[in-house]
Amino acid sequence: MSCSVDKTEIPATWYSGYKMPQLLEKNIEAKSIDDIKLLVNSKWYTEFTIVNPAAPDTKYTVNTCSSIPDGNIQKLYTIPERSNSAFMDITAMCQATSYILKGKASTQTFLNNLVFDKSLPDKLPKRIAMVTSVTEYRKLFNDKNIKYWSQVLEITGIDINGAGHATYQTNGGAQELELVAKGDFNGDKIEDILLTSRDSVEDGSYSATRLFMFTKLSNDGDIIFLQ
Amino acid sequence: MLTANEKKLLRKKLDTYEGTIPHMYLDSKGYITVGIGHLITSVANAQLISFVDAKTNKKATAAEIKTDYDNVIKQTNNRVASYYKKYTALKITQSEIDKLTNKHIDTFYKELKRIYTSFDTYPSEVRLALFDLIFNLGMTDLRNNWPTFNKHIKALDWQKAANNSSRKPPVSAARNKYVKGLLEKAAQTTKIKATP
């Protein structure tokens, strides 16, 4: 599952965490970059009615990645509200599709040793931490002393679901992390990764899917949040 | 405890924000759920709920309930709830939904009292706001991961609690506004009462 590139380069590659094909009305296998191009205009398994809070009287019906209105996707919400989580999941995959299509082969990588194990929370930036409160999220990002995920949340358990796929239990919920793609997504020729965090809380209805782009610029360096 | 009117209002708001689904579906974690987020932990647990045939309204048998359960559990999770309807033949009635939701409200009431020992003395608007939060966030996240908000609630500073009550996406701006509005109303009412 990779695009054809010069042999000296590391091709952009997608993994089982890339779930766009399964979210469509008709399952399309994403074996090549040409297959992925088709997914942009392919109908989802359902359609959503969405509203932009900036113009709440205007409703949109969306059923493909290409039909999502331009702007900040995170601000859009569905009618009914209960579909928001499923919409967030599908839009995360649309964003991943867009990155994969723009992705280039990289010439260097410092991410080969990234393993989804119990040490990952000590390596990934704090932004990956599931924080449900807007206030606490803001505080966290103003706090220069906090750098890593494990400094934000106590990780109480881990289930390894496979290579590049693990669920981390936290004090109050769980984060299911899954590798989506690798490649040069920001044009610096150094390999980046896309991964999702599917967040859920214990005994509550809150659930979210967030897509992250990370990179690493040297062997000894930290993993850096890009988008 | 909430009054009958408050319970009715809460059920209405939960219907708006959480949704009422009369058939079995999978929640985002892959658990079988029905009504307003009522978790079904096993086939035996499902058989304790009064399901009826969606077409005839005839009381469902234990075997029919098992069939729906087995059909839904094998589907992919984190889809819109309506996606699972085609895998079901049964539904629950509105009165059964209300019964299950009232049970939830009772459970969350006990949990809210554990977090906020003076919960019963809070204004009605504050109690409704806290119910919306706990239904969505669960007790552990609300208790452990909302220190700023909880500090203001415990200090009975409803305005500051309102200013720190927003949840991150996918919670909508409208739902955050609803909770903030309740707390602000309580702040205004308290201020008026305190004015000589």
Side-chain angles (χ1 to χ4, degrees):
Chain A
M1 294 202 299
S2 62
C3 32
S4 173
V5 291
D6 187 289
K7 281 176 186 171
T8 60
E9 297 180 318
I10 310 158
T13 310
W14 50 98
Y15 298 85
S16 59
Y18 180 60
K19 302 210 181 289
M20 196 74 240
Q22 292 103 291
L23 293 168
L24 302 173
E25 189 177 57
K26 289 175 189 158
N27 199 338
I28 296 173
E29 275 196 88
K31 286 185 176 171
S32 69
I33 206 78
D34 287 332
D35 293 336
I36 289 187
K37 282 178 192 164
L38 293 174
L39 306 187
V40 177
N41 291 311
S42 297
K43 270 192 183 176
W44 299 334
Y45 72 92
T46 188
E47 61 180 31
F48 295 88
T49 302
I50 57 164
V51 169
N52 185 336
D57 294 332
T58 312
K59 295 180 177 67
Y60 308 84
T61 300
V62 291
N63 61 359
T64 62
C65 292
S66 58
S67 64
I68 300 171
D70 291 336
N72 188 346
I73 293 175
Q74 285 218 328
K75 290 207 166 176
L76 303 173
Y77 62 91
T78 62
I79 296 175
E81 165 129 1
R82 65 171 178 266
S83 303
N84 260 345
S85 169
F87 180 64
M88 201 180 189
D89 198 56
I90 219 163
T91 52
M93 284 303 118
C94 287
Q95 285 179 302
T97 303
S98 172
Y99 288 131
I100 292 168
L101 287 175
K102 288 175 194 161
K104 303 271 190 291
S106 47
T107 54
Q108 263 188 306
T109 182
F110 302 100
L111 290 162
N112 276 341
N113 297 327
L114 190 73
V115 182
F116 285 48
D117 61 8
K118 65 178 181 182
S119 71
L120 195 62
D122 300 324
K123 294 173 185 165
L124 285 182
K126 59 185 177 183
R127 276 189 187 259
I128 197 98
M130 174 180 69
V131 179
T132 54
S133 156
V134 171
T135 299
E136 303 309 328
Y137 185 80
R138 284 185 188 141
K139 277 187 173 181
L140 177 68
F141 288 101
N142 290 330
D143 189 337
K144 304 279 180 238
N145 293 320
I146 297 178
K147 286 174 75 177
Y148 305 109
W149 178 17
S150 60
Q151 292 175 286
V152 183
L153 294 173
E154 182 192 351
I155 307 296
T156 55
I158 173 174
D159 294 322
I160 312 272
N161 308 318
H165 188 193
T167 303
Y168 296 83
Q169 278 89 38
T170 63
N171 196 357
Q175 291 187 239
E176 182 189 351
L177 261 61
E178 198 164 9
L179 179 63
V180 174
K182 284 183 180 180
D184 173 23
F185 303 117
N186 65 347
D188 64 359
K189 296 279 183 191
I190 296 173
E191 191 173 62
D192 315 309
I193 56 165
L194 296 177
L195 60 88
T196 49
S197 174
R198 288 192 171 79
D199 308 335
S200 58
V201 293
E202 198 179 305
D203 298 327
S205 59
Y206 181 94
S207 71
T209 303
R210 297 174 296 146
L211 179 75
F212 292 89
M213 188 191 295
F214 294 117
T215 198
K216 200 173 168 192
L217 301 175
S218 65
N219 278 325
D220 300 329
D222 278 335
I223 296 170
I224 299 165
F225 165 80
L226 290 175
Q227 288 190 45
Chain B
M1 190 51 184
L2 292 180
T3 64
N5 260 352
E6 287 171 333
K7 264 191 187 177
K8 196 175 163 190
L9 183 61
L10 179 61
R11 282 201 308 266
K12 192 179 163 206
K13 284 295 176 185
L14 290 174
D15 174 45
T16 303
Y17 295 126
E18 299 287 346
T20 301
I21 309 296
H23 55 81
M24 290 188 216
Y25 67 98
L26 291 181
D27 72 2
S28 61
K29 289 164 254 183
Y31 297 126
I32 298 259
T33 311
V34 74
I36 303 181
H38 179 79
L39 188 71
I40 299 175
T41 51
S42 62
V43 173
N45 188 235
Q47 287 163 339
L48 295 174
I49 298 169
S50 297
F51 280 94
V52 296
D53 186 291
K55 284 180 186 158
T56 65
N57 284 326
K58 211 177 125 191
K59 190 175 170 14
T61 64
E64 286 169 335
I65 293 171
K66 185 180 183 308
T67 303
D68 264 18
Y69 185 97
D70 290 343
N71 284 341
V72 173
I73 196 82
K74 61 188 177 198
Q75 304 306 320
T76 310
N77 64 319
N78 214 15
R79 303 266 167 135
V80 291
S82 57
Y83 168 82
Y84 302 96
K85 192 179 177 184
K86 57 180 175 276
Y87 302 106
T88 65
L90 309 176
K91 65 170 186 180
I92 55 172
T93 60
Q94 188 57 49
S95 64
E96 185 71 3
I97 290 168
D98 287 349
K99 198 173 101 186
L100 294 174
T101 309
N102 283 340
K103 270 190 193 169
H104 270 286
I105 292 171
D106 292 345
T107 305
F108 284 129
Y109 169 68
K110 284 176 195 152
E111 293 180 345
L112 283 167
K113 282 189 64 159
R114 281 171 63 192
I115 307 175
Y116 314 102
T117 47
S118 305
F119 179 79
D120 281 335
T121 66
Y122 295 170
S124 174
E125 293 85 1
V126 175
R127 287 186 282 144
L128 286 170
L130 292 173
F131 263 110
D132 189 77
L133 288 171
I134 202 168
F135 218 99
N136 185 221
L137 301 169
M139 183 185 73
T140 316
D141 189 62
L142 179 60
R143 185 187 58 201
N144 296 339
N145 301 325
W146 285 67
T148 309
F149 174 80
N150 287 335
K151 183 181 77 182
H152 296 312
I153 288 284
K154 286 172 184 173
L156 313 183
D157 190 336
W158 313 132
Q159 185 56 56
K160 282 186 182 162
N163 297 342
N164 293 284
S165 64
S166 284
R167 283 157 281 180
K168 287 189 67 208
V171 175
S172 69
R175 189 171 187 175
N176 279 330
K177 197 175 160 189
Y178 159 66
V179 166
K180 189 179 183 194
L182 285 169
L183 294 165
E184 283 181 332
K185 195 176 169 196
Q188 282 161 11
T189 311
T190 310
K191 205 172 162 185
I192 290 163
K193 276 185 187 167
T195 307

